[in-house]
């Protein structure tokens, strides 16, 4: 029996836009292009497509069906399948809680840089010096550093936008927000794309990005990178897709929605890659060097150091282009932040029957206060450590456990029947093989390789105490929180 007193999507379009909005995030813009370029270019795209079809979409289909079957957020959904599994849902909730706290500060930086763009490109000629020393005031060694009130103000604006989007619920809040944010995001990306590919040297950048190295097809590390990127990019094993699909009408087309979401996310990543490397090609052209010399690496450095430098070098409309680029970052981040926050809030509402408005205000207030730690100069150090361990351990471990429990312990055939009863694209033996064998094996390999790497030396060269306190403690605390939260009695109606 469905329980639509929780709320329901107003339309299929609203759900799909929200799911795509969750999947599309900062990683599509600053991580995907460099993963492609460093792992065989066009050859990697073949591997990535295989990874999406054998891991990303099969898991999306599974998580959509879990949400639709139970009409509950992650803890309640997994607990409904088996009362001993609720802790895993709370582990995913805690993971979302931690991620959105540091994610918010990157969005805040984007808003600040958008303002800097229209202030005559305030970052000046030395973009690295400005970002690390003048804007963040990053200490030379690991420490908390000085509090930056400007970042705190930007953070407040970010959390206010998230609160307004979530407080209205699914139909009146999240759906409306994504119907505004996603079209704007798409238009802005197209504008940057058009500008990028019309610049001199852009083709050299695209050649660097897509030039296929087919020898990489037999390199296990490339396959691991592709499957890792799928998990990183598509919001699977976060509890997000279970939560969003729990608000679907009973007879929704599950597999079609999953394919649309997966391909839309990949298409956005591809557009971002073309945009980034066309502009890097232009930078290389103006300097008279190879693209590899300006490409560097992905991540925060690309967004706040390399791209401001590229904006400086543009032949015209620099301020406008800078504003558009940082708005793209902000909107991509906000759609993901909204989904991460909804996982946390809906889980408490489902279990304890909290009032949505009060729960939203309380939880977001707590998250805002905790996010202020990233307003200090050393916040970047903390962000780097926390992000590494959450993404490489919490998400991989929760994904591995979730798939093993449902594919091997629960009756996967029950989900197959549910999916095929209402979906145009049917699932069968191949879908089951991907979930039972292929994806768990690859996730186990990814986890093992990361463990070996992190045990060889402290992550990022940080002090051991920092890596233990801010890194290794996160997955351990997540499991403890998950178990303790599952022990609380719910206020069932």
């Amino acid at each position: 029996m469905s329980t639509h007193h929780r709320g329901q999507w107003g339309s299929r379009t609203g759900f799909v836009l929200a799911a795509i909005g969750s999947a599309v995030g900062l990683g599509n813009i600053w991580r995907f292009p460099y993963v492609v370029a460093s792992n065989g270019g066009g050859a990697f795209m073949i591997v990535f497509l295989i990874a999406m079809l054998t891991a990303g979409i099969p898991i999306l289909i599974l998580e959509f069906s879990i949400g639709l079957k139970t009409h509950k957020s992650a803890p309640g959904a997994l607990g409904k399948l088996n009362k001993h599994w609720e802790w895993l849902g709370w582990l995913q909730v805690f993971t979302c809680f931690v991620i959105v706290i540091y994610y918010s500060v990157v969005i805040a930086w984007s808003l600040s840089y958008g303002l800097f763009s229209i202030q005559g490109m305030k970052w000046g000629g030395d973009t690295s010096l400005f970002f690390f020393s003048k804007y963040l005031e990053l200490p030379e060694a690991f420490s908390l550093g000085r509090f930056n009130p400007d970042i705190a103000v930007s953070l407040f604006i970010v959390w206010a936008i998230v609160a307004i989007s979530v407080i209205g619920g699914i139909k009146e809040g999240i759906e409306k927000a994504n119907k505004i944010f996603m079209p704007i995001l798409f238009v802005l990306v197209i504008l940057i794309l058009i500008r990028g590919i019309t610049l001199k040297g852009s083709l050299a950048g695209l050649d660097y990005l897509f030039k296929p190295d087919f020898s990489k097809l037999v390199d296990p590390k490339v396959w691991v990178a592709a499957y890792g990127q799928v998990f990183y990019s598509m919001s699977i094993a976060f509890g997000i897709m279970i939560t969003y699909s729990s608000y679907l009408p009973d007879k929704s087309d599950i597999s079609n929605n999953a394919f649309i979401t997966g391909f839309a996310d990949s298409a956005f990543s591809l557009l971002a890659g073309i945009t980034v490397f066309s502009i890097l090609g232009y930078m290389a052209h103006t300097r008279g060097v190879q693209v590899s010399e300006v490409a560097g690496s992905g991540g925060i450095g690309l967004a706040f150091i390399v791209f401001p430098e590229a904006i400086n070098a543009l032949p015209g409309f620099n301020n406008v282009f800078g504003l558009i680029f940082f708005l793209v970052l902000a909107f991509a981040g906000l759609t993901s932040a909204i989904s991460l926050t909804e996982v946390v809030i809906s889980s408490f509402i489902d279990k304890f029957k909290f009032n949505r408005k009060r729960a939203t205000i309380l939880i977001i207030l707590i998250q805002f206060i905790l996010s202020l730690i990233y307003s200090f100069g050393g916040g970047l150090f903390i962000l780097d450590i926390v992000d590494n361990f959450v993404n490489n351990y919490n998400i991989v471990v929760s994904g591995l456990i979730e798939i093993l429990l449902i594919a091997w312990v629960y009756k996967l055939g029950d989900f197959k029947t549910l999916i095929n009863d209402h979906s145009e694209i049917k699932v069968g033996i191949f879908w089951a093989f991907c979930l039972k064998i292929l994806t768990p094996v690859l996730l186990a390999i990814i986890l093992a390789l990361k463990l070996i790497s992190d045990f060889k030396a402290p992550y990022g060269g940080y002090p051991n105490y920092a890596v233990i306190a801010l890194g290794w403690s996160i997955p351990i605390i997540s499991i403890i929180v998950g178990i303790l939260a599952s022990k609380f009695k719910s206020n069932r109606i």
Side-chain angles (χ1 to χ4, degrees):
M1 183 175 71
S2 86
T3 51
H4 294 317
H5 64 276
R6 301 169 67 247
Q8 193 173 344
W9 297 104
S11 64
R12 179 180 179 180
T13 302
F15 165 71
V16 170
L17 282 175
I20 294 170
S22 173
V24 168
L26 298 172
N28 299 70
I29 300 169
W30 67 37
R31 188 176 191 269
F32 180 82
Y34 285 91
V35 174
V36 175
S38 59
N39 286 281
F44 176 84
M45 293 303 299
I46 298 171
V47 182
F48 179 76
L49 180 62
I50 294 171
M52 185 179 68
L53 293 173
T54 58
I57 290 177
I59 297 172
L60 268 182
I61 292 173
L62 177 64
E63 294 200 334
F64 282 173
S65 63
I66 292 171
L68 184 65
K69 180 181 178 69
T70 61
H71 287 296
K72 291 182 179 294
S73 54
L78 293 170
K80 193 170 182 178
L81 299 182
N82 187 308
K83 64 180 181 180
H84 300 297
W85 298 353
E86 185 185 335
W87 71 272
L88 179 60
W90 284 110
L91 184 154
Q92 294 178 348
V93 169
F94 184 74
T95 299
C96 290
F97 181 84
V98 172
I99 290 174
V100 75
I101 288 173
Y102 70 75
Y103 211 75
S104 64
V105 78
V106 183
I107 305 170
W109 295 343
S110 302
L111 292 179
S112 294
Y113 265 67
L115 182 61
F116 295 158
S117 297
I118 58 178
Q119 289 177 335
M121 296 172 291
K122 190 177 176 180
W123 51 73
D126 192 336
T127 56
S128 178
L129 176 68
F130 178 83
F131 180 64
F132 291 122
S133 300
K134 295 183 179 179
Y135 180 59
L136 295 185
E137 298 184 18
L138 189 72
E140 290 186 10
F142 183 88
S143 66
L144 193 57
R146 194 182 77 85
F147 180 73
N148 188 325
D150 292 338
I151 295 177
V153 171
S154 296
L155 268 172
F156 178 81
I157 294 170
V158 170
W159 283 112
I161 295 171
V162 172
I164 292 168
S165 302
V166 174
I167 207 166
I170 287 296
K171 186 176 179 180
E172 297 300 319
I174 295 173
E175 183 169 342
K176 284 186 176 180
N178 278 282
K179 283 183 175 180
I180 295 170
F181 291 158
M182 290 309 295
I184 292 175
L185 178 60
F186 177 75
V187 170
L188 293 177
V189 169
I190 294 300
L191 288 174
I192 300 178
L193 176 67
I194 293 170
R195 183 67 183 120
I197 60 177
T198 56
L199 294 169
K200 290 182 179 180
S202 61
L203 292 180
L206 298 183
D207 182 65
Y208 180 83
L209 173 64
F210 290 119
K211 186 177 181 179
D213 180 0
F214 291 110
S215 66
K216 295 284 189 179
L217 293 176
V218 294
D219 185 347
K221 290 182 180 179
V222 172
W223 289 82
V224 169
Y227 279 86
Q229 176 63 28
V230 164
F231 265 78
Y232 186 91
S233 175
M234 292 178 67
S235 290
I236 46 183
F238 286 79
I240 295 172
M241 296 308 183
I242 293 176
T243 300
Y244 270 10
S245 58
S246 71
Y247 297 108
L248 282 169
D250 290 321
K251 296 183 179 180
S252 298
D253 188 324
I254 297 169
S255 56
N256 233 350
N257 288 338
F259 272 93
I260 292 170
T261 302
F263 278 104
D265 176 65
S266 300
F268 185 89
S269 295
L270 194 60
L271 286 176
I274 293 170
T275 302
V276 167
F277 273 87
S278 64
I279 293 166
L280 293 180
Y282 169 75
M283 281 185 67
H285 172 76
T286 57
R287 293 183 183 180
V289 299
Q290 296 296 313
V291 177
S292 58
E293 292 186 38
V294 298
S297 61
I300 288 170
L302 166 70
F304 300 103
I305 297 172
V306 177
F307 248 79
E309 190 176 348
I311 292 164
N312 287 344
L314 289 175
F317 300 102
N318 311 60
N319 306 56
V320 175
F321 184 87
L323 176 62
I324 293 173
F325 174 74
F326 288 109
L327 284 178
V328 165
L329 285 185
F331 280 119
L334 282 168
T335 54
S336 295
I338 289 167
S339 66
L340 290 162
T341 304
E342 174 61 19
V343 170
V344 179
I345 291 169
S346 65
S347 298
F348 280 93
I349 292 173
D350 279 358
K351 179 153 186 170
F352 302 108
K353 301 298 179 284
F354 291 162
N355 172 274
R356 173 172 279 271
K357 184 177 181 180
R358 292 176 183 173
T360 300
I361 292 172
L362 177 61
I363 290 170
I364 286 184
L365 181 61
I366 292 170
Q367 291 178 310
F368 167 64
I369 292 170
L370 292 174
S371 71
L372 290 175
I373 191 73
Y374 297 106
S375 294
F376 286 84
L380 181 60
F381 295 140
I382 300 171
L383 187 155
D384 186 30
I385 298 172
V386 174
D387 176 64
N388 173 73
F389 281 84
V390 168
N391 277 296
N392 289 291
Y393 292 106
N394 278 45
I395 295 169
V396 174
V397 169
S398 71
L400 180 60
I401 295 172
E402 177 186 302
I403 293 168
L404 288 174
L405 289 177
I406 295 172
W408 286 101
V409 180
Y410 196 82
K411 295 178 181 178
L412 197 59
D414 287 0
F415 288 109
K416 177 184 172 183
T417 302
L418 173 67
I419 295 162
N420 290 342
D421 280 349
H422 305 299
S423 300
E424 292 178 11
I425 303 171
K426 309 300 180 185
V427 298
I429 295 173
F430 178 72
W431 179 70
F433 167 75
C434 291
L435 293 177
K436 284 190 170 185
I437 307 294
L438 185 60
T439 301
V441 168
L442 286 163
L443 282 176
I445 292 172
I446 291 171
L447 181 61
L449 290 174
K450 185 59 184 171
L451 281 167
I452 292 169
S453 172
D454 282 339
F455 274 121
K456 282 183 178 179
Y459 170 73
Y462 293 109
N464 274 314
Y465 72 86
V467 175
I468 292 170
L470 299 169
W472 290 112
S473 67
I474 297 290
I476 296 169
I477 292 172
S478 301
I479 293 172
I480 294 171
V481 168
I483 293 170
L484 291 177
S486 67
K487 298 300 180 184
F488 281 97
K489 291 183 179 180
S490 60
N491 299 323
R492 301 185 188 278
I493 295 178

